[in-house]
C-alpha cells in the first residue's frame, strides 16, 4: 500500500468527476443535490463517514469540487426528479431552490441512453463499450477534471451464467469484438470505466467489476475499484448486531428478515432473478459472522405504498445458558436514498484518494460500505471501520 | 500488568471458592446449577464468554473446580428454588435430578442471615464485617480453597448519600468501629471480602467496592475487584448498536427505552430510589458513546406476570442525510437469570486468574461484562471485547 | 331521543359556526385547513367517520358550511402555523396556497386572549365567562350562523380538587360571582358556551363540562355536550383489540404501554399532574373491557425530536389454554393532528345535528370518538360504532 | 333454524364421541389432555369460548363427557407425545401424571393407518371410505356414544384441481367406486363421516367438506358441517383490527405479514402448494373487510428452531387525513396447539348441539372460529361473535 504525496492536497485543489450509471434515479438525484447542499454549507454532513474524525483529516476532494455527469435511460430532468423527492420527504423542500443551478448543470452532463443501446442487441459490445468510454472521456475533458470516478447506481441485474470469457482479459476482449451480449450492463460499465482510465464503484448487487477478466484489466491499468451493494439498512444492522451474539457466546438459532420496499427498487427486486442477487449479498454477512446452520429466510417485498421508504423487520431466536430460548427483534424504517447518498459521496472521495495514492485492483478497505465486499476481511461492522481508519492512517502518513 | 506463572495452571489443579451474597436468588441458583451441569458435561457452555477462542486457552479454573457458598436472607433451600426455576422454564427440567447433589452441597454452605444483622441496627458495623469475613474464611478453610471470589448478587440498593468517611480507609474504619449503619450492605460486603483476603465482583448497580476508602483497602491488600451491574439485555444491545450510528455519522436524536421485568428484580426496581441507580447505569453507555443531547427516558416497570422473563423495547429516532428523520426499534425478550449466570461464572474464573496474576484494584479489562464499568475505557461492546482479549493475551504470555 | 325534522336538511342550507379554544394549535390549524380542502373538493374525506355509509346520508352541515373562529393565547397567525405543519409533513405542501384564503379568514375570527385573563387572577370568574360568551355571540351574529359548536382543543389541565360548588348550578354561580379561580379554564369554557346557547365538545382530557353543575346548566338550556379526550391512537387500538381477548376467553395478564410524543402535547403531558388526567382516561378502557387485575403501566414521554408525530408501543402478555403464556405487541406511529382533525369535524357536524334534533345533556352515542366518554356504554370500539350508527338511524327516520 | 328440545339437556347426560383425523398430532394431543384437565377440574377453561357468558348456559356436553378416538399415520402413543409437548412448554408438566389415564384410553381408540391406505393407490376410494366409516361406527358402538363429531386436524393438503365429479353426489359416488384417487384425504374423510352419520369439522385449510357433492350428501343425511382453517393467530388479529380502520375511515394502503412457524406445520407449509391454500385463507379476511387494492404479501416460513411456537409480524401502512402516511405494526407470539385446542373443544361441543337441534349443511354461525368460513357473513370478529351468540340464543329458547 503506497502513501499519499502530501504536496498535492486535493481538498483545496483539483476537481473530481463523478460519472453515474443511473444518473437520474432517486439515489443519484439525492447525491447531486446533497453535494450541492454540503458544498454550499447549506446542511451539515450528517451520514458522511468521511467527515468523521480519523477520516476528515485526509486530503479528500471537497464536496464543491465534485462535478457530476452520467447516463440514464430516463429523460426526466434532475430538477424535476428533485421536486418529486422533496414531495416524498427525501429532500427538504427549502433546499430545492438553492441547489437548482447545480441540478441543472449536472443534468446537462447526463446522456439519455436508450435501453437497446445498453442491451446491445445488434452491434458487438466492444462498440458500445467504446461509446461509453468516449462519453466519460469527453466529460473529463469538458470539465478539465483531475480524475473521474464511475459509480454504478442502476437497477439490480440478474446474476449472469458464468462464461469462460469472463476469466481472462484476452478472452473477454475477443468475445466483445464479435458478440452483442457478452457482459451484463454493470460489467460493461466497469470495462468502459477502466478503458477510459477511471476507477469504478459498484453500489448495486450486480456483477460490476467482479469478474477475473475485469480485475486483470484494472490491475493492468493501475486502477482501483470497489463494491458491491451499498450497506444501508437491514444488513448494516446485522453486521453491527451479529458480533454481539458471537462475543457473548449466545447461540443464534434463526435469523429471519422481511424487507418492505417501495420505489423502483421494490419493483426491480420483485423479479425473482434480481432478488436472488440481492438476498445472496444480504445473507452473506450472517453466514460469515455466525457460521452455517442459522435458519431463516430473507424476503424482499415490493410495496409501492411505501414510496421512497423501506421497512425491515428482523426476528432472531437464540439460545442462552442451558439452552433457554430467547428472542430479539428489530425494525428499521429508513429512506433508502438518504441512506445511500452520503455513502456514495464518501466512496467517491475515498476512491479519488486511492487513485492519487496509486492503489489498484479491489479495495478491501472499503468493505465497511458494502453488503458483499471484495476479499475475506472480517465482515463485522466494527472490524470494517477499523480497517478503513487504519488505511486512512497509512495513506496519509508521510 | 503482570503475567501469569505458567507452572501452576489452575484448570487442572486448585479449587476456587465462590461466595455469593444472595446465594438463593434466581441468578445464584442458576449459577450453581449451571456450573454443575457444565462441570458434568451435561450441557454445552452457551453464554460463557470464557469458553470462546482467545479466552478458553487461559489457565482458568474448570467449572467443576468451583465450590459455592454464601449468605441469603431467604431460607428456601437451593433444590426447591431450582424446581421453581424449572417450572418457569429457566432451568431444563431434565437437569434437576442430575445436579441435585451439587445444589444440596452448596445449600449446606449458605448461611441464612437475618435481615437485621445486615442492616446492623444495633452493633457497630465493624462487628458485622468481622462476622461476614469469618464466614468466608471458614468456608475457605472448610473446603481447602486456593482462593475465594466474593460476588454480590443481592437486591439493588438505593444510592447512599456521600460521607466524608467513604473517602479514606482510616476514616471508614473509625466510623465502622462506632456506628451501626455506615455502609450500605453491598459495600460492607466488599469491605468484608477484602478483609478476608478475597477478590470482589459487584454484579448489581449497588455501591459495592465503588468508594475511595474501599479501593484503598483493596490496593493495600493487593486484591482485585470489578463491577458493576451485569450487562445482560437492553444495555448490551445499546453498547453494540450505538457505535453503528456513530461510525455511520448518523445523528441520533432520541433513544427511549421501556423495560418490563417480572421476578424479584421488577419489584425491587419499582422502588424509585433503587430504580435510580439502575437507570443511571443504563443511560451511561449512550451518553458516553453518542454524546450529550440525546433525548429519551428509560423506564423500568414491574410486571409480575412476566415471571423470570423481561422484555425491553427501545425506540431510536435519528437523522440521516440532509436531516431526513428515520427510526429504529428493537425488542429484547430474555430470561434474566439465564443471561446473568454464565457471566457470573466468567467473572469468577477471570477474577481467579487476575488474583493469580497478582492484579489488584479495579479491573477495567472486565468492562465488557458491566453496564457501569470502572474506568473511562471506550464503552462500545466491540472495544470492550478487544480490551478483554488483549488482557488475556498479556496475562497468558510468558 | 327525538328525530330530526327532515324538512330542513342542513347539508344544503344553514352555516354552522365552530368556536375553538386553542384555535391556533396544531389540531385546530389542521381542522381549519382540512375543512377548506374538503369543502373545495381538493382532497377525499379520509379519516372522516361522518362520510361513511350509514352516516353520510344524514342531513349534516357540509364542510364548506363550517365557519371557524376561537380563542388562543398564541398570536402566530394560522397561515404561518400551516406552513410549519406543511414543513413537518402534517399538511401537504401543495394545499397551502389553495386554502390560504380560508386560513386568513378564520384567523381574523380568532381572539388572542392573554393567559392571565383565563387564569382569572383578579376579577371574579363570572366576568371572564361573560366575556367569553360575548365573543362567541358576536362571532355568531357577525356571520349569521344557525348554531355554534364550541370545541375545547387547548392544552391538558391538571385534575382540579373537587368543590361543593361544582355540584349545583346555584352554588357554582354564587362562587363565580365572587371568586377569581373557581373553575379550570376548560370548565369555564363549557360554562360560557352554555351561557351563549351553544353546544360543547371537549376533545381533551380536561374537566370541560364534566361537572354536575354544568350538566344542570346544559339540560336547563336544552343544549347537548360531549367528550372527552379524543381517541386517536393507542387507546383506539386498545378498544379494538381488547374485545378480541375477551371473545376468545384469553386471559390478559398485563398490558403495558409507552407513548412517545413530540410537539406541544408531549411537553404538556410531561407535567405529572397533566399526565395523570391523560393516563387515567387511557387506562379506563382496559379496566372496563378486561376487568380489574390486569398489570401494567402507561407512560407518556415527551420526545421533542419526534415533532408532530407520536409512537406508542404496547406489550400484552396473556394466558392461553392450560395457562400457556403468550405475547402480543404493537406499535402505532401516527401524526396526532392528522388523526384528531377529522374527528373534530365529525363531532362538529354531529353536534349540529344533535342540536337540531333537540337533544340535550351528555351525548353518550358519541363515545366512539373518546377515550373517556360519558355514560357506562360498552367501551368496545365495535359496540361504540353500532351505538353511533343506531342513533343516526333513529335521528334521521321520520 | 330449529330450536333445541330442552327436555334432553346434554350437559348432564349423553356422551359425545370426537374422532380426530391426525389424532396424535400436537393439536390433538393438547385437545385430549386439555379435555381431561378441564373435565377433572384441574385447570380453568381459559381459551374456551363456550365457557363465556351467553354460551356456557347452553346444554353443551361436559368436557368429561367427550370420548376421543381417531386415525393417525404416526404410531407414537399419546402419553409420549404429551411428554414432548410438556418439554416444549405447551402442556404444564404437573398435569402429565394427572391425565395419563385419559391419554392412554384415547390412544387405544386411535387406529394407526398407513399412509398408502389414505392415498389409495390401488383399491377404489369407496373401499377406503367404507373402512374409515366402519372405524368410526365401531368407535361409536364400542363406547355407546350419542353422536360422534369428526374433526380434521391432519396436515394441510395442496388445493386439488376441480373435477366434474366434485359437483354432484351421484357423479362423485360413481368415481369413488372405480378410481383410487378421486378425493384428497380431507374430503374423503368428510365423505366417510357423513356416510357414518356424523357431523364434520375441518380445522385445516384443506378441502374437507367444501365440495358441492359433499354438501349434497350432508344435507341429504341431515348432518351439519363447518370449517375451515382454525383462526388462531395473525388472522384472528386481522379480523379484530381491520374493522377499526374501516370504522375510522382510515385508508389502508398495504398490509404485509410474515409468519414464522416451527413444528410440523412449518415444514408442511414450506411446500408451496400447501402454503397456497394457507395464504389464500389468510388473505381472504382483509379483502372482504378492506376491499381490493390493499398491497402486501403474506409469507409463511418454516423455522424449526421455534419448535411449537409461532411469531407473526404484520406491517400496515395507512393514510389519514389529507393523505398523511402512518403505520401500525404488530407481533403475535403464540403457541399454535394451545391456541387451537380450546377452539376444537368449542367446535365439538357446539356441533353436538347443532346435531341435536337438527341443523344440517354448512353452519355459518361458527365462522368466528375460522379463517375461511362458509358463507358470506361479515368477517369482522365482532360481527362473527354476535352471529354465534345470536344462534345460541335461538337454539336455546323454547
Amino acid at each position: 500500500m503506497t502513501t499519499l504525496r502530501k504536496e498535492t492536497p486535493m481538498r483545496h485543489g483539483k476537481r473530481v468527476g463523478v460519472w453515474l450509471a443511473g444518473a437520474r434515479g432517486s439515489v443519484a438525484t439525492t447525491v447531486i443535490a446533497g453535494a450541492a447542499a454540503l458544498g454550499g454549507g447549506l446542511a451539515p454532513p450528517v451520514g458522511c463517514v468521511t467527515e468523521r474524525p480519523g477520516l476528515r483529516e485526509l486530503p479528500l476532494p471537497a464536496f464543491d469540487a465534485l462535478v457530476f455527469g452520467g447516463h440514464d435511460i430516463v429523460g426526466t430532468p434532475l430538477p424535476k426528479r428533485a421536486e418529486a423527492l422533496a414531495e416524498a420527504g427525501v429532500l427538504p423542500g427549502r433546499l430545492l431552490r438553492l441547489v437548482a443551478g447545480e441540478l441543472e448543470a449536472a443534468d446537462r452532463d447526463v446522456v439519455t441512453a436508450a435501453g437497446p443501446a445498453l442491451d446491445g442487441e445488434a452491434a458487438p459490445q466492444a462498440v458500445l463499450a467504446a461509446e461509453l468510454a468516449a462519453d466519460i472521456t469527453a466529460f473529463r475533458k469538458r470539465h478539465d477534471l483531475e480524475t473521474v470516478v464511475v459509480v454504478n447506481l442502476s437497477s439490480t441485474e440478474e446474476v449472469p451464467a458464468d462464461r469462460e470469457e469472463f476469466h481472462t482479459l484476452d478472452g473477454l476482449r475477443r468475445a466483445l469484438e464479435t458478440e452483442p451480449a457478452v457482459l451484463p450492463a454493470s460489467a460493461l460499465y466497469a470495462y468502459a470505466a477502466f478503458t477510459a482510465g477511471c476507477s469504478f464503484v459498484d453500489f448495486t448487487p450486480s456483477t460490476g467489476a467482479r469478474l477475473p477478466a475485469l480485475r486483470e484489466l484494472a490491475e493492468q491499468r493501475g486502477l482501483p475499484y470497489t463494491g458491491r451493494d451499498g450497506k444501508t439498512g437491514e444488513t448494516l444492522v446485522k453486521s453491527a448486531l451479529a458480533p454481539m451474539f458471537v462475543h457473548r457466546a449466545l447461540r443464534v438459532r434463526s435469523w429471519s428478515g422481511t424487507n418492505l420496499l417501495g420505489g423502483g427498487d421494490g419493483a426491480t427486486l420483485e423479479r425473482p432473478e434480481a432478488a436472488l442477487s440481492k438476498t445472496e449479498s444480504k445473507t452473506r454477512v450472517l453466514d460469515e459472522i455466525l457460521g452455517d446452520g442459522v435458519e431463516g429466510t430473507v424476503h424482499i417485498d415490493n410495496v409501492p405504498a411505501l414510496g421512497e421508504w423501506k421497512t425491515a423487520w428482523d426476528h432472531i431466536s437464540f439460545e442462552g445458558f442451558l439452552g433457554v430460548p430467547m428472542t430479539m427483534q428489530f425494525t428499521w424504517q429508513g429512506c433508502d436514498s438518504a441512506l445511500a447518498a452520503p455513502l456514495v459521496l464518501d466512496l467517491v472521495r475515498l476512491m479519488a484518494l486511492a487513485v492519487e495514492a496509486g492503489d489498484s485492483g479491489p479495495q478491501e478497505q472499503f468493505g465497511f460500505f458494502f453488503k458483499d465486499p471484495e476479499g475475506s476481511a472480517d465482515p463485522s461492522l466494527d472490524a470494517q471501520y477499523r480497517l478503513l481508519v487504519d488505511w486512512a492512517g497509512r495513506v496519509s502518513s508521510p
Side-chain angles (χ1 to χ4, degrees), chain A:
Chain A
M1 185 80 60
T2 59
T3 59
L4 192 75
R5 287 148 297 163
K6 270 297 192 53
E7 60 272 30
T8 58
M10 293 185 72
R11 194 188 279 272
H12 309 293
K14 320 292 166 39
R15 293 190 314 150
V16 168
V18 187
W19 185 262
L20 305 170
R24 289 185 181 118
S26 296
V27 175
T29 308
T30 308
V31 165
I32 298 166
L38 299 190
L42 304 170
V46 175
C48 293
V49 178
T50 45
E51 291 294 311
R52 298 246 322 123
L55 295 170
R56 69 177 172 220
E57 300 81 4
L58 295 172
L60 299 165
F63 292 111
D64 59 5
L66 304 179
V67 179
F68 294 92
H71 277 116
D72 206 308
I73 56 171
V74 167
T76 321
L78 282 164
K80 198 95 189 162
R81 291 287 293 119
E83 270 173 47
L85 290 176
E87 189 81 358
V90 182
L91 295 174
R94 57 177 180 74
L95 270 188
L96 281 198
R97 261 197 333 270
L98 304 170
V99 302
E102 284 89 343
L103 287 168
E104 280 160 23
D107 200 68
R108 283 191 296 271
D109 274 307
V110 178
V111 179
T112 307
L118 273 174
D119 288 356
E121 281 174 356
Q125 254 185 338
V127 177
L128 285 169
E131 283 173 17
L132 290 173
D135 285 344
I136 298 169
T137 303
F139 168 68
R140 180 175 187 162
K141 292 194 170 154
R142 190 157 62 244
H143 293 286
D144 189 23
L145 302 166
E146 180 77 0
T147 189
V148 173
V149 183
V150 175
V151 185
N152 180 28
L153 296 175
S154 55
S155 293
T156 299
E157 305 161 351
E158 56 186 283
V159 182
D162 193 18
R163 293 181 55 160
E164 214 189 307
E165 291 84 355
F166 293 173
H167 292 261
T168 64
L169 182 53
D170 277 354
L172 178 63
R173 276 184 174 141
R174 273 193 301 270
L176 290 174
E177 291 299 334
T178 54
E179 291 182 45
V182 181
L183 289 173
S186 64
L188 191 68
Y189 238 107
Y191 181 85
F194 297 149
T195 305
C198 298
S199 56
F200 179 78
V201 176
D202 194 356
F203 205 76
T204 80
S206 300
T207 304
R210 199 71 67 89
L211 295 175
L214 294 174
R215 177 174 185 154
E216 199 182 329
L217 175 58
E219 290 178 341
Q220 200 178 80
R221 299 284 175 104
L223 292 165
Y225 62 87
T226 194
R228 90 185 153 187
D229 203 4
K231 184 159 71 173
T232 58
E234 189 201 25
T235 310
L236 173 66
V237 181
K238 281 176 169 172
S239 67
L241 265 186
M244 176 187 81
F245 293 100
V246 173
H247 289 159
R248 278 297 171 95
L250 298 166
R251 188 178 161 223
V252 174
R253 295 287 314 275
S254 67
W255 195 309
S256 307
T258 296
N259 293 270
L260 312 180
L261 309 180
D265 230 26
T268 303
L269 294 170
E270 202 175 33
R271 297 188 356 251
E273 319 78 39
L276 188 65
S277 47
K278 189 79 178 184
T279 54
E280 275 181 1
S281 62
K282 285 177 91 70
T283 54
R284 190 186 149 189
V285 62
L286 288 188
D287 291 345
E288 293 188 2
I289 299 178
L290 299 174
D292 293 342
V294 175
E295 302 170 1
T297 306
V298 175
H299 299 288
I300 302 180
D301 292 4
N302 179 29
V303 183
L306 298 183
E308 295 287 331
W309 299 77
K310 66 179 177 187
T311 294
W313 171 68
D314 276 41
H315 176 279
I316 306 149
S317 71
F318 62 99
E319 271 180 25
F321 198 52
L322 305 178
V324 174
M326 312 194 195
T327 307
M328 179 172 178
Q329 300 175 59
F330 69 82
T331 55
W332 172 269
Q333 294 168 282
C335 171
D336 208 32
S337 301
L339 288 161
L343 304 183
V344 171
L345 291 173
D346 286 329
L347 283 161
V348 164
R349 302 174 85 195
L350 292 167
M351 283 298 272
L353 188 61
V355 166
E356 200 181 354
D359 291 345
S360 72
Q363 302 292 301
E364 301 196 5
Q365 74 279 7
F366 300 150
F368 175 73
F369 296 96
F370 296 110
K371 291 192 193 73
D372 182 19
E374 351 287 296
S376 56
D378 182 348
S380 303
L381 188 67
D382 188 276
Q384 292 177 324
Y385 189 73
R386 281 180 281 133
L387 193 67
L388 175 63
V389 171
D390 288 351
W391 172 82
R394 276 200 311 280
V395 90
S396 63
S397 60

